[in-house]
Amino acid sequence: MRVEGQTTEMESCCTVKPGTAVSPTDCPHCGRPGRLVDRITVKAMLRPEGLMRLSAPEHRFCATPECSVVYFGIEEAFGREEVVVPVFQKEPAGDRPVCYCFGIGEADLRRELEETGRSSASDRIIALVKAERCACEVKNPQGNCCLGNVAAAANAAKVTLEAEKR
Ligand SMILES: [Zn+2]
């Protein structure tokens, strides 16, 4: 809540002064643009050592598969080894976690396709999201919904299975 006339002093100690430093939009390692993530995502995802040096006011997520950086901000970057879970975008395909909230991995997608011929994972996740049971901002390193990754991973698993049948 803002109280007019009383905010100036409080703001000077609690907010970052504009113009002092600008948060980078591109990853310092691979140079590709990153997506802004909530601070709570970075806090939830970092191991203690990384969390203890967290200082930048905002962070972006680097989704480049071959880049080791996961989060970056002003004068800091956190790598894969500093994150508590394997990062979907940065692990080799085949056995990665895809939906972090409800524990669905590539192996689960493949098993269901083998057994039933179709993937119901997206539908199940959509129902759980609608019931407001997801916690992407604190469970998924990318800080948002996994559905795009689930669809892509299910399609990739389908292509692999079909190729194996030939
Ligand atoms: Zn990068």
Side-chain angles (χ1 to χ4, degrees):
M1 196 175 72
R2 286 176 68 99
V3 181
E4 286 308 322
Q6 293 184 358
T7 52
T8 323
E9 270 177 55
M10 265 169 68
E11 277 180 354
S12 66
C13 72
C14 302
T15 59
V16 178
K17 293 187 192 77
T20 47
V22 177
S23 292
T25 55
D26 297 342
C27 173
H29 192 64
C30 70
R32 307 266 291 272
R35 201 187 65 83
L36 208 56
V37 290
D38 287 344
R39 192 167 191 79
I40 195 64
T41 301
V42 181
K43 284 184 169 179
M45 285 296 140
L46 287 181
R47 292 187 190 282
E49 300 74 27
L51 193 51
M52 281 188 257
R53 63 180 178 86
L54 180 73
S55 65
E58 59 179 35
H59 295 84
R60 285 172 188 266
F61 175 80
C62 172
T64 308
E66 62 276 13
C67 178
S68 59
V69 168
V70 179
Y71 302 113
F72 60 90
I74 296 170
E75 286 177 9
E76 73 184 3
F78 300 98
R80 294 167 49 172
E81 72 288 347
E82 293 181 283
V83 174
V84 293
V85 289
V87 179
F88 174 80
Q89 286 84 350
K90 298 178 189 282
E91 295 293 321
D95 198 21
R96 298 174 292 180
V98 190
C99 172
Y100 291 80
C101 296
F102 308 116
I104 299 168
E106 285 178 308
D108 303 303
L109 298 175
R110 193 170 51 242
R111 195 178 313 116
E112 192 192 11
L113 281 166
E114 277 172 340
E115 289 170 0
T116 70
R118 65 178 294 271
S119 176
S120 66
S122 291
D123 295 340
R124 280 184 286 137
I125 295 165
I126 288 168
L128 290 161
V129 170
K130 277 189 183 154
E132 294 182 9
R133 294 183 185 132
C134 63
C136 318
E137 69 276 21
V138 289
K139 293 199 179 250
N140 190 333
Q142 74 183 27
N144 63 5
C145 187
C146 65
L147 279 169
N149 298 340
V150 172
N155 282 336
K158 207 169 188 174
V159 170
T160 307
L161 283 172
E162 274 162 14
E164 283 169 7
K165 279 183 201 155
R166 284 194 202 114

